[in-house]
């Protein structure tokens, strides 16, 4: 169990180290712009944040009751009405309630929220922040998440792998794009993408926003050019109707809340605005996040703390909160993080992305010539960025490095021929089966358009490919370039004969050495059960061999990027204040309903054998001939069997996207 270990470590921290842990805890809750203010050295420190309506105090003092009363006095002197008190002392619920009812000296004037050792430890033991907490405390996260329940595994699997989750994420992106255009008609594409990125959490949102724009334009829901876009007449009318209906609901809610609070309309609207962030997420008002604290601070500021429960009950009944039906589901989609990937990949915390040669070549071409802004370079950078966000390593097996070098040697045969070809014929080589030729043709065109020049001989020499040079030296050069981009070469393993037989069965006409290479890699993926693997490949045969292993996800590079982008990385553990309200107003309810129904069933069923049905559906990849093994908790099959090139490297030229 992780919680007892964290609790013990935090309780025994010296003062300054506890402050670092407390700041991480506040960040995890969603507070921003945190900064410790030097104090008197009395066992406590003030913390400032992006909000100026409350005080935050960190303390390691044993006499916590006296310290809270002192800090409540300081809060009142600062004309504030809310105190956040964070301590590494264990305080039981009974002791906390006893203090607040009989010993707290500022009841009714300063509202206080107490975060003790137990609450801090529980929060930092949650997926998404536990690794950072362990590292800060000098501890190590186990290689297997032993605490993950079948229910958690099933939920993570659905959120990360299912078609419904991807469709809902796309729908939210499209709703956000449309909301931006409703408020800012005739905005340029660059402005729309920038606003979507600032509104939604996660990685590669800019890439996803561009895709959403393309889908909406293709469907005719938005029209115009890249410099000026607007909603179609039908789309604008539909969205305005939804907004009008919502504004009428808000007006009715203001009336009912005014009767309960006795506040002026402007203040009631502010309270409702603060509360909607919680209502649409279906969150408890008594939680400890920044949204909850904002509401409590508002009530304390207006002397309404004693009527808090009555006001909460009225807020829960508001008609404007009706849109929260699918809010929690959307919140879950954009709250998935690295630990959901861990749980979905056999609970392994050590994850490696493995590139086959047909994928590694366009990636290294794109990374080395990123300035060319080719589509390969853009995709390569997207994959690298996604892996960095999750702190997932990227590797190329040594045998595939050999294939990359051999492909370069093959390209040397084209040097004289390429120079003699007319320009029209050179363009056709973008579809060459040789990765070096196809990508050089594409990259050189891009470079030429910018006024520069790159010869094929120079391109090959950059990767160590030159006449008379032994293949081992070419491998060394490519390995050096890969390592420069934090892509490591892993040693080969001896293949399993049964696995090699399966590769031969799937590729009866393949060269023996390539059969050996694939057998080595499949053996490594299947036998190294201490790790989880994400294999990026176009090779359907390899995918079929390893896809019944729960800790291995194998798919095309484009889908690997999408898979990694579905979950936020380890820098996004905290709650995100994104425009969930806009999404709920304009999102297609049918899309949200499908995923919500599955999640609700998971939440109501505990037995693993019943959850298996949902796991099957989540990782179902559309192949009717596949049979799921009952001993696999989270197996998956290939969804939507699209055409894939079987002759590695390249189809054509080892395309990345």
């Amino acid at each position: 169990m992780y919680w007892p270990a964290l609790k013990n470590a935090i309780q025994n921290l010296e003062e300054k180290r506890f402050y670092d842990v407390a700041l991480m805890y506040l960040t995890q809750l969603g507070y921003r712009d945190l900064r410790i203010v030097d104090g008197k050295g009395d066992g406590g420190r003030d913390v400032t944040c992006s909000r100026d309506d409350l005080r935050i105090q960190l303390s390691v003092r044993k006499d916590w009751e006296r310290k809270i009363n002192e800090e409540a006095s300081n809060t009142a002197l600062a004309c504030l009405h809310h105190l956040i008190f964070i301590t590494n002392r264990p305080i039981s619920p009974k002791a906390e309630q006893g203090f607040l009812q009989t010993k707290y000296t500022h009841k009714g004037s300063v509202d206080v929220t107490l975060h003790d050792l137990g609450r801090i430890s529980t929060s930092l033991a949650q997926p998404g922040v536990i690794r950072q907490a362990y590292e800060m405390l000098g501890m190590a996260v186990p290689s297997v998440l032993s605490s993950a329940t079948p229910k958690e595994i099933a939920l993570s699997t659905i959120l990360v792998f299912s078609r419904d989750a991807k469709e809902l994420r796309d729908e939210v992106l499209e709703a956000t794009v449309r909301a931006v255009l409703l408020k800012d008609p005739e905005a340029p594409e660059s402005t729309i993408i920038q606003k979507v990125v600032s509104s939604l959490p996660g990685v590669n949102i800019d890439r996803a926003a561009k895709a959403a724009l393309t889908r909406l334009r293709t469907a005719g829901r938005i029209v115009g050019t890249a410099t000026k876009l607007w909603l179609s007449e039908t789309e604008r009318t539909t969205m305005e109707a939804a907004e009008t209906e919502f504004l009428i609901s808000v007006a009715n809610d203001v009336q009912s809340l005014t009767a309960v609070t006795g506040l002026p309309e402007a203040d009631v609207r502010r309270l409702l605005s603060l509360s909607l962030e919680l209502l649409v997420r279906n969150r408890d008002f008594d939680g400890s996040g920044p949204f909850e604290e904002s509401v409590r601070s508002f009530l304390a500021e207006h002397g309404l703390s004693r009527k808090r429960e009555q006001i909460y009950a009225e807020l829960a009944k508001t008609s404007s909160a009706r849109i929260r039906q699918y809010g929690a589901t959307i919140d879950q989609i954009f709250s998935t993080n690295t630990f959901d990937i861990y749980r979905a990949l056999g609970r392994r915390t050590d994850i490696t992305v493995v590139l086959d040669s047909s994928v590694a070549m366009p990636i290294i071409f794109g990374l080395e010539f990123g300035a060319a802004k080719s589509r390969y370079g853009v995709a390569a950078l997207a994959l690298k960025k996604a892996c960095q966000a999750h702190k997932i390593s990227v590797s190329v097996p040594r045998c595939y490095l050999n294939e990359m070098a051999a492909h370069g040697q093959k390209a040397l045969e084209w040097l004289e021929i390429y120079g003699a070809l007319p320009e029209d014929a050179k363009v056709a080589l973008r579809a060459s089966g040789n990765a070096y030729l196809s990508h050089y043709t594409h990259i050189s065109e891009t470079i030429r358009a910018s006024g520069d020049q790159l010869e094929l001989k120079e391109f090959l020499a950059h990767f160590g490919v030159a006449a008379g040079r032994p293949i081992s030296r070419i491998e060394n050069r490519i390995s050096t370039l890969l390592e420069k981009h934090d892509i490591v070469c892993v040693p080969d393993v001896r293949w399993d004969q049964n696995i090699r037989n399966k590769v031969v069965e799937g590729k009866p006409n393949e060269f023996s050495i390539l059969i050996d290479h694939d057998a080595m890699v499949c053996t490594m993926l299947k036998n190294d059960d201490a790790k989880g693997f994400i294999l990026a490949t176009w090779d359907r045969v390899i995918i079929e061999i390893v896809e019944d292993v729960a800790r291995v996800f194998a798919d095309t590079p484009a889908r690997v990027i999408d898979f990694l982008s579905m979950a936020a990385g380890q820098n996004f553990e905290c709650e995100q204040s994104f425009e969930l309200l806009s999404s709920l107003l304009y999102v297609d309810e049918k899309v949200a309903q499908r995923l919500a129904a599955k999640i609700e069933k998971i939440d109501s069923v505990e037995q693993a054998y019943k959850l298996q049905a949902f796991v099957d559906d989540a990782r179902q990849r559309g192949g009717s001939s596949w049979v799921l093994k009952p001993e696999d908790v989270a197996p998956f099959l290939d969804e939507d069997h699209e055409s894939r090139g079987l002759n590695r490297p390249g189809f054509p030229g080892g395309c990345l996207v």
Side-chain angles (χ1 to χ4, degrees):
M1 295 293 290
Y2 308 123
W3 180 76
L6 278 175
K7 182 180 177 183
N8 183 63
I10 294 172
Q11 185 173 9
N12 293 292
L13 284 176
E14 55 93 13
E15 184 176 336
K16 291 184 178 179
R17 289 195 65 198
F18 170 67
Y19 296 156
D20 291 335
V21 171
L23 289 181
M24 177 170 43
Y25 169 65
L26 287 167
T27 301
Q28 196 267 336
L29 290 179
Y31 291 92
R32 293 291 179 270
D33 302 328
L34 295 164
R35 185 170 64 89
I36 292 180
V37 179
D38 290 335
K40 304 174 183 177
D42 59 351
R45 286 291 188 276
D46 280 332
V47 174
T48 61
C49 67
S50 57
R51 291 179 46 197
D52 57 7
D53 60 338
L54 52 78
R55 286 188 69 243
I56 301 176
Q57 173 71 196
L58 311 181
S59 176
V60 295
R61 278 174 43 171
K62 294 180 180 180
D63 56 341
W64 57 271
E65 294 178 335
R66 180 179 177 182
K67 182 62 174 174
I68 290 177
N69 281 328
E70 290 174 359
E71 294 305 327
S73 297
N74 293 334
T75 302
L77 289 173
C79 298
L80 297 174
H81 303 275
H82 195 72
L83 170 66
I84 310 293
F85 187 81
I86 300 174
T87 178
N88 69 337
R89 300 297 167 184
I91 302 172
S92 68
K94 182 178 180 180
E96 179 181 349
Q97 289 303 312
F99 164 73
L100 293 175
Q101 291 173 9
T102 62
K103 300 179 182 179
Y104 183 50
T105 57
H106 288 75
K107 191 185 303 183
S109 60
V110 175
D111 197 40
V112 62
T113 302
L114 203 162
H115 300 253
D116 76 323
L117 173 65
R119 184 175 290 182
I120 295 171
S121 303
T122 300
S123 179
L124 296 184
Q126 298 305 306
V129 73
I130 186 175
R131 178 178 291 278
Q132 185 182 352
Y134 264 56
E135 290 174 353
M136 180 174 286
L137 294 168
M139 303 162 66
V141 175
S143 59
V144 178
L145 293 178
S146 58
S147 63
T149 66
K151 175 178 173 179
E152 290 172 333
I153 294 170
L155 180 58
S156 292
T157 304
I158 282 183
L159 291 173
V160 172
F161 286 112
S162 74
R163 181 192 295 272
D164 291 328
K166 185 179 185 304
E167 287 181 355
L168 181 54
R169 186 173 186 266
D170 289 345
E171 177 66 26
V172 170
L173 282 157
E174 291 178 14
T176 307
V177 169
R178 291 184 285 123
V180 169
L181 277 175
L182 183 65
K183 298 172 186 175
D184 188 10
E186 300 190 357
E189 184 176 304
S190 57
T191 299
I192 297 170
I193 292 171
Q194 182 181 4
K195 289 186 176 181
V196 173
V197 170
S198 64
S199 299
L200 298 175
V203 292
N204 295 324
I205 295 297
D206 53 344
R207 177 175 172 269
K210 291 175 184 177
L213 267 171
T214 300
R215 291 193 300 271
L216 290 168
R217 294 177 71 172
T218 302
R221 300 173 74 181
I222 62 175
V223 293
T225 64
T227 58
K228 185 185 293 186
L229 290 166
W230 59 90
L231 295 169
S232 69
E233 186 66 27
T234 301
E235 196 69 33
R236 183 178 58 80
T237 301
T238 301
M239 294 181 69
E240 286 177 345
E243 193 164 79
T244 299
E245 184 181 355
F246 175 70
L247 292 175
I248 292 172
S249 298
V250 170
N252 293 333
D253 294 338
V254 168
Q255 282 188 325
S256 62
L257 285 169
T258 299
V260 175
T261 63
L263 295 174
E265 181 179 330
D267 288 337
V268 171
R269 286 185 177 275
R270 183 182 167 213
L271 172 61
L272 185 58
S273 177
L274 291 172
S275 302
L276 278 175
E277 282 284 3
L278 293 170
L279 290 168
V280 297
R281 288 174 166 81
N282 204 22
R283 302 285 184 87
D284 189 343
F285 280 98
D286 286 323
S288 56
F291 301 134
E292 295 92 331
E293 300 290 9
S294 293
V295 175
R296 278 200 289 269
S297 179
F298 177 91
L299 296 179
E301 179 185 344
H302 292 83
L304 295 170
S305 295
R306 297 180 186 278
K307 299 180 67 176
R308 189 160 60 191
E309 296 304 321
Q310 182 183 355
I311 294 171
Y312 287 169
E314 192 65 32
L315 283 168
K317 294 188 294 184
T318 53
S319 54
S320 53
R322 63 178 171 71
I323 61 173
R324 69 183 176 183
Q325 184 176 6
Y326 305 117
T329 302
I330 293 176
D331 197 26
Q332 283 179 298
I333 285 290
F334 284 92
S335 297
T336 54
N337 55 43
T338 305
F339 269 67
D340 287 292
I341 294 177
Y342 292 161
R343 284 189 293 245
L345 291 180
R347 300 179 290 124
R348 301 314 194 268
T349 61
D350 186 355
I351 306 290
T352 298
V353 170
V354 178
L355 310 176
D356 86 354
S357 54
S358 67
V359 178
M361 282 188 287
I363 282 182
I364 193 60
F365 298 155
L367 292 175
E368 283 297 294
F369 291 90
K373 301 295 183 184
S374 70
R375 62 192 177 102
Y376 308 110
V378 171
L381 291 171
L383 177 60
K384 184 178 180 182
K385 182 179 178 183
C387 290
Q388 287 174 334
H390 297 293
K391 296 184 179 179
I392 291 175
S393 60
V394 184
S395 68
V396 176
R398 175 65 60 177
C399 57
Y400 287 162
L401 182 67
N402 174 261
E403 292 182 13
M404 296 169 70
H407 236 227
Q409 285 184 323
K410 192 69 176 175
L412 281 173
E413 300 174 7
W414 274 81
L415 271 179
E416 291 186 17
I417 300 173
Y418 191 90
L421 288 174
E423 288 302 318
D424 289 346
K426 289 179 180 179
V427 172
L429 286 176
R430 292 177 65 171
S432 168
N434 184 282
Y436 288 83
L437 289 177
S438 67
H439 289 90
Y440 164 74
T441 304
H442 184 88
I443 291 171
S444 63
E445 288 174 3
T446 309
I447 291 177
R448 192 181 306 117
S450 65
D452 207 343
Q453 195 76 18
L454 178 68
E455 299 296 331
L456 176 58
K457 186 175 182 179
E458 295 175 302
F459 179 78
L460 293 175
H462 181 77
F463 298 98
V465 180
R469 183 168 294 174
I471 195 168
S472 60
R473 288 188 60 191
I474 301 175
E475 290 180 9
N476 290 342
R477 172 61 178 170
I478 297 174
S479 176
T480 299
L481 293 176
L482 289 170
E483 289 174 2
K484 184 178 75 173
H485 296 286
D486 297 321
I487 301 174
V488 300
C489 295
V490 295
D492 295 331
V493 300
R494 177 66 183 173
W495 70 76
D496 180 285
Q497 188 60 50
N498 291 331
I499 291 177
R500 191 182 189 283
N501 293 342
K502 291 181 180 179
V503 178
V504 171
E505 182 181 340
K507 303 180 181 183
N509 300 316
E510 187 62 276
F511 290 113
S512 178
I513 188 171
L514 297 182
I515 294 289
D516 292 345
H517 291 173
D518 290 340
M520 290 176 187
V521 174
C522 290
T523 299
M524 177 189 73
L525 297 179
K526 296 194 77 169
N527 290 352
D528 189 352
D529 59 4
K531 293 182 179 180
F533 292 100
I534 300 170
L535 175 64
T537 180
W538 298 99
D539 196 322
R540 182 174 176 177
V541 172
I542 296 179
I543 292 173
E544 292 173 356
I545 290 174
V546 302
E547 67 181 349
D548 61 338
V549 182
R551 55 183 172 74
V552 179
F553 171 69
D555 216 321
T556 64
R559 286 186 176 173
V560 166
I561 294 172
D562 286 340
F563 160 67
L564 292 172
S565 299
M566 276 289 292
Q570 294 190 9
N571 293 326
F572 292 93
E573 301 96 350
C574 54
E575 298 178 16
Q576 302 292 322
S577 181
F578 60 96
E579 294 185 7
L580 183 57
L581 184 59
S582 295
S583 300
L584 287 167
L585 279 175
Y586 308 121
V587 79
D588 184 344
E589 288 192 10
K590 292 180 180 178
V591 177
Q593 186 181 33
R594 287 197 296 270
L595 184 61
K598 293 178 181 177
I599 291 176
E600 286 168 5
K601 290 176 182 177
I602 286 178
D603 287 342
S604 65
V605 179
E606 294 293 341
Q607 294 89 344
Y609 74 91
K610 289 185 179 180
L611 291 175
Q612 187 67 57
F614 303 110
V615 177
D616 291 351
D617 181 71
R619 299 185 89 167
Q620 176 68 37
R621 311 297 274 176
S624 59
S625 62
W626 303 113
V627 178
L628 294 170
K629 297 180 179 180
E631 65 268 21
D632 294 332
V633 176
F636 62 93
L637 300 177
D638 188 42
E639 176 186 70
D640 191 15
H641 286 281
E642 63 186 10
S643 176
R644 291 173 178 149
L646 300 183
N647 294 322
R648 198 185 61 256
F651 185 79
C655 290
L656 178 61
V657 292

